[in-house]
mmCIF file of all heavy atoms in Angstrom:
data_model
loop_
_atom_site.group_PDB
_atom_site.id
_atom_site.type_symbol
_atom_site.label_atom_id
_atom_site.label_comp_id
_atom_site.label_asym_id
_atom_site.label_seq_id
_atom_site.Cartn_x
_atom_site.Cartn_y
_atom_site.Cartn_z
ATOM 1 N N GLU P 75 -70.125 30.591 -48.130
ATOM 2 C CA GLU P 75 -69.747 29.407 -48.914
ATOM 3 C C GLU P 75 -69.554 28.167 -48.038
ATOM 4 O O GLU P 75 -69.186 27.109 -48.532
ATOM 5 C CB GLU P 75 -68.430 29.695 -49.672
ATOM 6 C CG GLU P 75 -68.567 30.718 -50.778
ATOM 7 C CD GLU P 75 -69.661 30.331 -51.784
ATOM 8 O OE1 GLU P 75 -69.625 29.191 -52.273
ATOM 9 O OE2 GLU P 75 -70.557 31.164 -52.037
ATOM 10 N N VAL P 76 -69.790 28.332 -46.729
ATOM 11 C CA VAL P 76 -69.472 27.240 -45.802
ATOM 12 C C VAL P 76 -70.706 26.365 -45.533
ATOM 13 O O VAL P 76 -71.729 26.864 -45.051
ATOM 14 C CB VAL P 76 -68.956 27.815 -44.461
ATOM 15 C CG1 VAL P 76 -68.654 26.694 -43.466
ATOM 16 C CG2 VAL P 76 -67.716 28.672 -44.696
ATOM 17 N N PRO P 77 -70.628 25.076 -45.859
ATOM 18 C CA PRO P 77 -71.755 24.200 -45.565
ATOM 19 C C PRO P 77 -71.867 23.911 -44.066
ATOM 20 O O PRO P 77 -70.868 23.580 -43.410
ATOM 21 C CB PRO P 77 -71.432 22.911 -46.345
ATOM 22 C CG PRO P 77 -69.994 22.983 -46.696
ATOM 23 C CD PRO P 77 -69.521 24.389 -46.552
ATOM 24 N N VAL P 78 -73.093 24.066 -43.552
ATOM 25 C CA VAL P 78 -73.343 23.994 -42.103
ATOM 26 C C VAL P 78 -74.541 23.091 -41.842
ATOM 27 O O VAL P 78 -75.528 23.136 -42.582
ATOM 28 C CB VAL P 78 -73.670 25.412 -41.572
ATOM 29 C CG1 VAL P 78 -74.073 25.371 -40.104
ATOM 30 C CG2 VAL P 78 -72.491 26.363 -41.772
ATOM 31 N N ALA P 79 -74.463 22.295 -40.788
ATOM 32 C CA ALA P 79 -75.624 21.516 -40.341
ATOM 33 C C ALA P 79 -76.098 22.085 -39.015
ATOM 34 O O ALA P 79 -75.332 22.123 -38.047
ATOM 35 C CB ALA P 79 -75.232 20.045 -40.161
ATOM 36 N N ALA P 80 -77.334 22.564 -38.980
ATOM 37 C CA ALA P 80 -77.864 23.158 -37.754
ATOM 38 C C ALA P 80 -78.943 22.248 -37.167
ATOM 39 O O ALA P 80 -79.853 21.821 -37.870
ATOM 40 C CB ALA P 80 -78.438 24.540 -38.045
ATOM 41 N N MET P 81 -78.805 21.963 -35.900
ATOM 42 C CA MET P 81 -79.809 21.149 -35.203
ATOM 43 C C MET P 81 -80.829 22.059 -34.557
ATOM 44 O O MET P 81 -80.515 22.770 -33.601
ATOM 45 C CB MET P 81 -79.144 20.313 -34.112
ATOM 46 C CG MET P 81 -78.326 19.155 -34.620
ATOM 47 S SD MET P 81 -77.549 18.271 -33.247
ATOM 48 C CE MET P 81 -78.980 17.773 -32.290
ATOM 49 N N ARG P 82 -82.036 22.035 -35.107
ATOM 50 C CA ARG P 82 -83.106 22.790 -34.472
ATOM 51 C C ARG P 82 -83.788 21.836 -33.491
ATOM 52 O O ARG P 82 -84.611 21.022 -33.883
ATOM 53 C CB ARG P 82 -84.089 23.281 -35.529
ATOM 54 C CG ARG P 82 -84.632 24.621 -35.156
ATOM 55 C CD ARG P 82 -85.734 25.158 -35.986
ATOM 56 N NE ARG P 82 -85.759 24.932 -37.399
ATOM 57 C CZ ARG P 82 -85.758 25.897 -38.314
ATOM 58 N NH1 ARG P 82 -85.651 27.136 -37.956
ATOM 59 N NH2 ARG P 82 -85.885 25.598 -39.575
ATOM 60 N N GLY P 83 -83.388 21.951 -32.238
ATOM 61 C CA GLY P 83 -83.879 21.012 -31.231
ATOM 62 C C GLY P 83 -82.770 20.075 -30.813
ATOM 63 O O GLY P 83 -82.059 19.529 -31.651
ATOM 64 N N ARG P 84 -82.587 19.948 -29.510
ATOM 65 C CA ARG P 84 -81.542 19.086 -28.961
ATOM 66 C C ARG P 84 -82.140 18.212 -27.874
ATOM 67 O O ARG P 84 -83.317 18.297 -27.596
ATOM 68 C CB ARG P 84 -80.419 19.957 -28.418
ATOM 69 C CG ARG P 84 -80.858 20.836 -27.246
ATOM 70 C CD ARG P 84 -79.953 20.704 -26.088
ATOM 71 N NE ARG P 84 -78.604 21.172 -26.370
ATOM 72 C CZ ARG P 84 -78.238 22.444 -26.324
ATOM 73 N NH1 ARG P 84 -79.125 23.358 -26.002
ATOM 74 N NH2 ARG P 84 -76.992 22.797 -26.579
ATOM 75 N N PHE P 85 -81.275 17.394 -27.301
ATOM 76 C CA PHE P 85 -81.760 16.406 -26.332
ATOM 77 C C PHE P 85 -81.134 16.645 -24.971
ATOM 78 O O PHE P 85 -80.027 17.164 -24.877
ATOM 79 C CB PHE P 85 -81.452 14.999 -26.853
ATOM 80 C CG PHE P 85 -81.957 14.847 -28.245
ATOM 81 C CD1 PHE P 85 -81.105 14.940 -29.332
ATOM 82 C CD2 PHE P 85 -83.315 14.734 -28.481
ATOM 83 C CE1 PHE P 85 -81.585 14.878 -30.623
ATOM 84 C CE2 PHE P 85 -83.814 14.677 -29.770
ATOM 85 C CZ PHE P 85 -82.939 14.751 -30.848
ATOM 86 N N HIS P 86 -81.879 16.267 -23.955
ATOM 87 C CA HIS P 86 -81.439 16.512 -22.579
ATOM 88 C C HIS P 86 -81.550 15.227 -21.765
ATOM 89 O O HIS P 86 -82.408 14.384 -22.045
ATOM 90 C CB HIS P 86 -82.338 17.568 -21.920
ATOM 91 C CG HIS P 86 -82.489 18.835 -22.691
ATOM 92 N ND1 HIS P 86 -83.397 18.973 -23.716
ATOM 93 C CD2 HIS P 86 -81.851 20.022 -22.584
ATOM 94 C CE1 HIS P 86 -83.313 20.191 -24.213
ATOM 95 N NE2 HIS P 86 -82.386 20.854 -23.552
ATOM 96 N N LEU P 87 -80.748 15.152 -20.730
ATOM 97 C CA LEU P 87 -80.855 14.001 -19.818
ATOM 98 C C LEU P 87 -82.230 13.960 -19.168
ATOM 99 O O LEU P 87 -82.803 12.889 -18.959
ATOM 100 C CB LEU P 87 -79.773 14.079 -18.734
ATOM 101 C CG LEU P 87 -78.322 13.958 -19.224
ATOM 102 C CD1 LEU P 87 -77.363 14.149 -18.057
ATOM 103 C CD2 LEU P 87 -78.087 12.612 -19.898
ATOM 104 N N TYR P 88 -82.782 15.142 -18.854
ATOM 105 C CA TYR P 88 -84.058 15.139 -18.115
ATOM 106 C C TYR P 88 -85.218 14.572 -18.921
ATOM 107 O O TYR P 88 -86.257 14.226 -18.365
ATOM 108 C CB TYR P 88 -84.405 16.545 -17.576
ATOM 109 C CG TYR P 88 -84.636 17.613 -18.617
ATOM 110 C CD1 TYR P 88 -85.774 17.637 -19.408
ATOM 111 C CD2 TYR P 88 -83.703 18.637 -18.789
ATOM 112 C CE1 TYR P 88 -85.979 18.617 -20.358
ATOM 113 C CE2 TYR P 88 -83.890 19.625 -19.732
ATOM 114 C CZ TYR P 88 -85.022 19.611 -20.512
ATOM 115 O OH TYR P 88 -85.218 20.582 -21.456
#
Side-chain angles (χ1 to χ4, degrees):
E75 291 305 309
V76 178
V78 174
M81 287 178 59
R82 215 188 323 239
R84 64 129 64 82
F85 308 101
H86 308 83
L87 295 176
Y88 63 72

